Amino acid sequence: MAIPDSTTAAQEASAPPRRQVIAGVVGMMLEMYDWQVYGFTVAYIAAALFDPTDPFSGLLNSLLVFAVGFLMRPLGGAIIGAYTDRFGRRAGMILGLVLLGVGSLMIATVPSYAQIGVWAGIILVAARVLQGLGVGGEQGAAVSYLSEIAPPGKRAFYNAFGYVASSLSVLLAVGLTATLPMILGEAAMSTWGWRIPFIIGALFTAYAIVMRRTMTETAQFAETKQSHAGARRHSSTRILLTKYLKQTLLAFFFVGGGTFSYYIFVLQYSTFAHMVTGIKLSQAQLLTTVVIVVFAILQPLFGSLADRFGRKRVLLASAIGMLVTLWPGLLLVTDNPAVIIGLQLLATIPAAAAASVGNAAIAELFPTDVRAVGVGFPYAVSVALFGGTAPYVMAFFAGRGQVSVLALYGTLLIAFTIVTTLLMPERSRTSLSSVPEAS
């Protein structure tokens, strides 16, 4: 077990500079921005980078490329997580940003299908692979960093700002992709305007990398590295899967219910309402922007509650709330905007609690030497399986009028979240340096 030294104690006794916190969450903002921008511009990408004589196949191919990014997330969680546990939180977060930025720049500058043929699609796949790796590694590195710099009793509060940043990035992505066609016109948007959001993403990433280069390493990582100096160590991924398999499985199943609710009710509910009721998609999306703002505002509140009353109380209340609101949210939707936003808000509130507290709870499962990979790898696998597939599962069942089957699927995932929450240790008042290492 690690014994806190004076450096660790000094860091834990006071709040870190605001710039350090912003640098910690900026990558989480960029990862969601990149993900959403691609989803919102996929029709333009399909027309520009795939065979224009077969537009339907082009759309399917571009959606498949979207899925490739999700498949890369677990690999990024394992590789960059291990890199972060070996070389530091700062190094891991910078590497994740570099991959995200290069991926965005590649998409922004890739020649069209008319210019280079099938190579346009190949370059797009390569860009999404890099972005998927970066996103997968960013989560574990950033959550570890925020958890380790947080003052005593504020770990959930600090981690909550990751989802605040993500929510702001979703709003930025929605705003850009909605207004650019109106400003430029559809013709210009189809030929070159769709590249603008990716250029902005690449520029923002470059700024974020410069910001992160000024970050200081966490005292807990520095202490752990010093204590292991000279020792021959295996990869933290190998250590995780051999000595911390129970904690890894807890993190994996815990994430499932919350990520399903987040993708369905926060990000994709407008599409669901459109498919089921026929309401205009643009009208439903406008309602969703209001919900995302509420979701962001709730993050620090639930984080503070979890720091004060404990993780398990807030997370259990959240999971039960997700379970209670899941069925009416899916089965009672109508084309009335008031009904849509009311049901969406009811389901979003417990999902916000799960998001704001979940990262801190997972970070508290693992000691410092495997924390980044312990957070990043199971989280990425769970999100890829249950979050990345949620829009497709939703469309499959909703399109066939089988919404109750979708609700049963969500119920199963939330049930796993409830069970794992009960099994997780309560460490809201425990120093991260005191989390036991496997013998």
Side-chain angles (χ1 to χ4, degrees), residues 281-416:
L281 184 58
S282 58
Q283 186 178 9
Q285 287 174 335
L286 181 62
L287 298 175
T288 293
T289 59
V290 176
V291 172
I292 292 174
V293 171
V294 174
F295 180 87
I297 292 172
L298 290 173
Q299 294 301 301
L301 171 62
F302 283 125
S304 296
L305 290 175
D307 285 328
R308 181 174 181 180
F309 298 107
R311 314 287 186 246
K312 297 181 77 166
R313 290 182 181 179
V314 176
L315 288 173
L316 281 174
S318 165
I320 293 171
M322 288 190 294
L323 197 60
V324 169
T325 58
L326 173 68
W327 287 82
L330 294 177
L331 296 179
L332 300 183
V333 64
T334 72
D335 60 359
N336 186 323
V339 173
I340 291 175
I341 196 169
L343 292 173
Q344 192 175 4
L345 282 172
L346 283 176
T348 294
I349 291 171
S356 65
V357 183
N359 284 339
I362 296 173
E364 291 163 355
L365 288 173
F366 302 98
T368 304
D369 60 342
V370 295
R371 182 166 295 125
V373 73
V375 173
F377 179 65
Y379 179 93
V381 174
S382 191
V383 169
L385 289 178
F386 306 124
T389 60
Y392 305 98
V393 172
M394 177 200 72
F396 180 84
F397 289 116
R400 287 162 176 75
Q402 299 173 331
V403 177
S404 59
V405 180
L406 177 64
L408 283 171
Y409 174 67
T411 298
L412 178 64
L413 294 181
I414 295 171
F416 278 123

Side-chain angles (χ1 to χ4, degrees), residues 97-160:
L97 280 181
V98 168
L99 294 177
L100 279 170
V102 171
S104 289
L105 187 61
M106 288 173 65
I107 297 175
T109 59
V110 58
S112 67
Y113 182 91
Q115 294 171 309
I116 60 172
V118 296
W119 283 102
I122 294 172
I123 294 172
L124 178 64
V125 171
R128 292 297 291 172
V129 166
L130 291 179
Q131 288 187 322
L133 292 173
V135 169
E138 168 69 27
Q139 179 72 17
V143 169
S144 296
Y145 181 80
L146 291 170
S147 298
E148 291 170 7
I149 67 171
K154 289 191 176 182
R155 280 197 297 268
F157 177 75
Y158 271 56
N159 272 288

Side-chain angles (χ1 to χ4, degrees), residues 25-36:
V25 304
V26 69
M28 302 171 81
M29 179 177 183
L30 284 166
E31 69 175 68
M32 186 56 71
Y33 172 83
D34 286 335
W35 234 243
Q36 293 302 311

Side-chain angles (χ1 to χ4, degrees), residues 193-210:
W194 63 268
R195 300 176 186 270
I196 293 176
F198 294 101
I199 295 173
I200 292 174
L203 292 174
F204 189 22
T205 303
Y207 171 76
I209 291 172
V210 173

